[in-house]
């Protein structure tokens, strides 16, 4: 049986750390990139030098990452009209 993207993330420890600066994996966030407001979900956190980055995905079925944004540039979306992503491994 093919593993889900959530199982893959957990299997390789990509889900650690699960939160940074009040943001958690699978949180819906907004940010500005190249002058355009975007919205996506946090796939994982990684540190490069002294800066923490969040890898961002848009499709909750594939979890394919499309952006890498410094955590301090992200804003958590509250009362999102879209369905929040949920970590299906924990469900």
């Amino acid at each position: 049986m093919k593993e889900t993207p959530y199982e893959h993330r957990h299997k390789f420890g990509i889900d650690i750390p699960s939160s940074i600066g009040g943001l958690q994996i699978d949180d819906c966030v907004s940010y500005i990139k190249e002058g355009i407001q975007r919205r996506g979900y946090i796939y994982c956190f990684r540190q490069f030098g002294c800066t923490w980055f969040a890898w961002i995905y848009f499709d909750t079925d594939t979890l394919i990452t499309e952006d890498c944004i410094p955590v301090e540039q992200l804003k958590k979306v509250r009362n999102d009209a879209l369905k929040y992503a949920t970590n299906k491994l924990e469900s």
Side-chain angles (χ1 to χ4, degrees):
M1 184 172 160
K2 184 178 176 185
E3 67 185 1
T4 69
Y6 294 93
E7 291 167 336
H8 178 270
R9 178 172 64 186
H10 182 71
K11 177 180 176 182
F12 291 99
I14 300 169
D15 54 354
I16 300 172
S18 63
S19 65
I20 298 286
L23 297 170
Q24 295 184 346
I25 286 179
D26 295 322
D27 274 352
C28 184
V29 293
S30 67
Y31 58 97
I32 296 175
K33 183 176 179 182
E34 299 171 351
I36 299 170
Q37 177 101 22
R38 295 180 158 201
R39 178 181 290 189
Y41 300 92
I42 297 173
Y43 179 73
C44 68
F45 297 101
R46 289 294 173 258
Q47 186 176 25
F48 299 103
C50 296
T51 305
W52 280 96
F53 290 83
W55 292 87
I56 307 295
Y57 66 94
F58 302 105
D59 185 338
T60 58
D61 292 324
T62 64
L63 276 66
I64 295 172
T65 58
E66 299 188 28
D67 276 333
C68 179
I69 305 295
V71 169
E72 63 268 4
Q73 293 180 15
L74 299 174
K75 294 181 183 171
K76 189 172 184 174
V77 175
R78 302 194 189 281
N79 300 324
D80 184 14
L82 300 173
K83 182 180 177 185
Y84 277 93
T86 57
N87 187 334
K88 295 177 183 171
L89 202 66
E90 293 175 359
S91 301

